[in-house]
Amino acid sequence: MNARPKKSFGQHFLHDRRYIDRIVSAIAPRPEDFMVEIGPGEGALTLPLLAAAGRLTAIELDTDLIPDLRSRAATVGELHVIHADVLKVDFSALAHSHGAPQLRIAGNLPYYISSPILFHCVEHAAAIRDMHFMLQKEVVERMAAEPGSKVYGRLSVMLQLACRVEPLFDVPPEAFRPPPKVESAVVRLVPLPVGELHDAPPEHVHAVVKAAFGQRRKTLANALRQLLDADAIRRADVDPKARAETLAPADFVRLAKVYGGL
Ligand code: SAM
């Protein structure tokens, strides 16, 4: 316990009990839940989550933290530690190997890879019931941003097409050891039910959204030139003179369908 936090692993350990309690109450784990924690660290969230759920699977990249975590969890509940990079963990396979219950994922995420982790989780959204993450506040603002906002972009569109995004509360730097240079916030993500999901292939949506926001100051006719001409953009019911930041997530889905010839 109290190991020297490693910068390269994005280690900022939560120590303020009030915020730990607020996060655990927001998650409200129950004994039948299949809880998965990303980056348990020294166990600030792990132990109270384990106490409430009885079982928990934690994914940690830093080997040095694992023995202590295991011994502290031993009297609390059944902790299963996966020593791996979370980006290599197949959440759908993890759920299947336990009879396919939907996962409840939580974590005070390593900020240096927070966007890749979010995209990775979205890929496995069908296997996930909900997610509660601590992130940089600025990232949570981008995730929840609406069209027209300065911070509305690729992250907003891709997450909102897959999940309901619910910012919960802010957390100041002093709640962590060492304090990060930025403000943090906790967000809840609830994957949308199948009936509400769009029906365009994800790789086409990715391609269109990436190109559109790659040159966000340009008109769509310009930004999407490699993928769709002005007529094709009009066929998707979108104005080719509009800019990406004014489009709703559903507009990108229609563009992706035209791009895929659907
Ligand atoms: N949950 C702890 C807490 O709240 O005090 C630690 C949070 S700390 C911000 C992030 C944790 O993620 C660290 O334990 C770090 O070692 C771990 N981590 C970093 N990169 C990771 C990766 N690629 N896969 C899994 N865990 C990772």
Side-chain angles (χ1 to χ4, degrees):
M1 193 167 155
N2 288 336
R4 182 188 288 268
K6 295 182 186 132
K7 225 175 166 179
S8 59
F9 285 116
Q11 291 177 354
H12 293 277
F13 299 122
L14 254 179
H15 66 79
D16 189 322
R17 181 79 4 236
R18 286 167 304 173
Y19 290 103
I20 295 171
D21 290 347
R22 277 182 85 177
I23 295 170
V24 175
S25 316
I27 299 171
R30 297 163 61 96
E32 66 272 19
D33 291 342
F34 187 165
M35 286 299 315
V36 176
E37 187 188 1
I38 299 173
E42 295 181 336
L45 295 171
T46 321
L47 299 178
L49 290 174
L50 188 59
R55 281 181 309 163
L56 183 141
T57 296
I59 303 161
E60 176 57 63
L61 185 59
D62 184 356
T63 339
D64 294 346
L65 297 171
I66 296 176
D68 196 55
L69 188 65
R70 282 207 171 104
S71 70
R72 293 170 65 222
T75 53
V76 183
E78 199 184 310
L79 176 70
H80 176 57
V81 182
I82 300 176
H83 174 221
D85 173 356
V86 62
L87 297 178
K88 305 223 166 79
V89 174
D90 181 337
F91 288 122
S92 309
L94 183 65
H96 272 281
S97 67
H98 286 73
Q102 282 198 306
L103 312 180
R104 301 198 66 200
I105 304 184
N108 169 14
L109 296 186
Y111 294 171
Y112 74 105
I113 44 163
S114 55
S115 293
I117 293 176
L118 292 169
F119 284 119
H120 181 65
C121 290
V122 162
E123 264 178 51
H124 293 276
I128 300 172
R129 189 165 110 210
D130 60 18
M131 297 164 255
H132 291 81
F133 292 139
M134 172 92 75
L135 291 157
Q136 281 173 250
K137 185 176 175 188
E138 173 261 317
V139 173
V140 171
E141 285 169 352
R142 284 200 277 132
M143 292 160 72
E146 294 186 358
S149 146
K150 267 198 189 124
V151 295
Y152 180 71
R154 190 170 155 238
L155 194 63
S156 335
V157 174
M158 297 312 294
L159 281 167
Q160 291 171 28
L161 284 174
C163 304
R164 196 180 80 223
V165 179
E166 208 183 315
L168 297 180
F169 51 87
D170 296 347
V171 182
E174 312 79 70
F176 304 82
R177 181 183 64 86
K181 290 198 176 71
V182 292
E183 288 285 322
S184 301
V186 176
V187 65
R188 175 184 290 139
L189 297 170
V190 183
L192 297 173
V194 177
E196 286 180 34
L197 283 176
H198 64 78
D199 49 357
E203 59 278 18
H204 292 165
V205 181
H206 269 285
V208 168
V209 173
K210 196 169 168 201
F213 284 106
Q215 311 190 48
R216 61 186 291 143
R217 307 308 305 165
K218 295 198 171 172
T219 63
L220 287 167
N222 262 319
L224 296 180
R225 201 168 22 205
Q226 309 286 341
L227 309 180
L228 295 163
D229 63 21
D231 281 342
I233 296 174
R234 269 187 222 103
R235 277 207 301 288
D237 231 354
V238 173
D239 177 1
K241 291 203 202 80
R243 284 186 308 202
E245 64 205 34
T246 65
L247 264 54
D251 295 327
F252 290 100
V253 173
R254 290 198 310 281
L255 286 167
K257 282 183 169 171
V258 173
Y259 170 57
L262 297 176

